[in-house]
Amino acid sequence: SSGINAEYGERCKLCVVSCRDGTTYPVQACIRGKIIEVNQRLKSQPTLLTSHWDSDGYIAVLQPNKSEEKMILSKLLNKEQYQEHLQCSHQAKRQCVGE
């Protein structure tokens, strides 16, 4: 990664992911807030980003701004909504690839 911005305020660039082929991808925070933890394991094990993206491959833990916390919580999906979202996404993907 190229650096961590731990300031409150506008969405910040958490890091830049650099691939072996030289391609880079800036990763922005999805919320405004404060970085409270950075996954240090990514420095020695960068493949965690793709191999364990849903667990050990996280980039950082963010604490949302207090003023936006209720709005953020109201947009979270419950288990049933998430499963429905996954099913719809899978169906749309199958349509796109012509299955």
Side-chain angles (χ1 to χ4, degrees):
S1 73
S2 68
I4 300 296
N5 180 347
E7 296 295 319
Y8 274 106
E10 294 301 313
R11 287 184 353 168
C12 66
K13 184 175 11 175
L14 292 175
C15 66
V16 175
V17 176
S18 300
C19 300
R20 288 183 183 146
D21 68 0
T23 307
T24 59
Y25 299 92
V27 178
Q28 287 191 335
C30 59
I31 60 170
R32 291 184 296 210
K34 182 178 181 180
I35 296 172
I36 56 173
E37 180 183 339
V38 174
N39 187 354
Q40 298 297 326
R41 288 179 288 180
L42 293 178
K43 289 181 182 181
S44 61
Q45 302 173 41
T47 58
L48 288 174
L49 278 174
T50 55
S51 65
H52 291 87
W53 55 268
D54 58 345
S55 58
D56 294 334
Y58 70 95
I59 294 172
V61 176
L62 296 130
Q63 178 181 1
N65 287 348
K66 291 289 183 190
S67 62
E68 297 179 14
E69 195 171 289
K70 286 183 183 179
M71 183 271 303
I72 292 167
L73 290 173
S74 72
K75 292 183 178 189
L76 292 177
L77 303 178
N78 63 32
K79 182 178 179 178
E80 292 79 24
Q81 291 169 324
Y82 182 67
Q83 288 174 337
E84 183 178 327
H85 169 76
L86 289 177
Q87 185 177 20
C88 291
S89 295
H90 181 68
Q91 289 173 351
K93 184 177 180 180
R94 285 187 4 209
Q95 289 175 349
C96 288
V97 295
E99 284 185 20

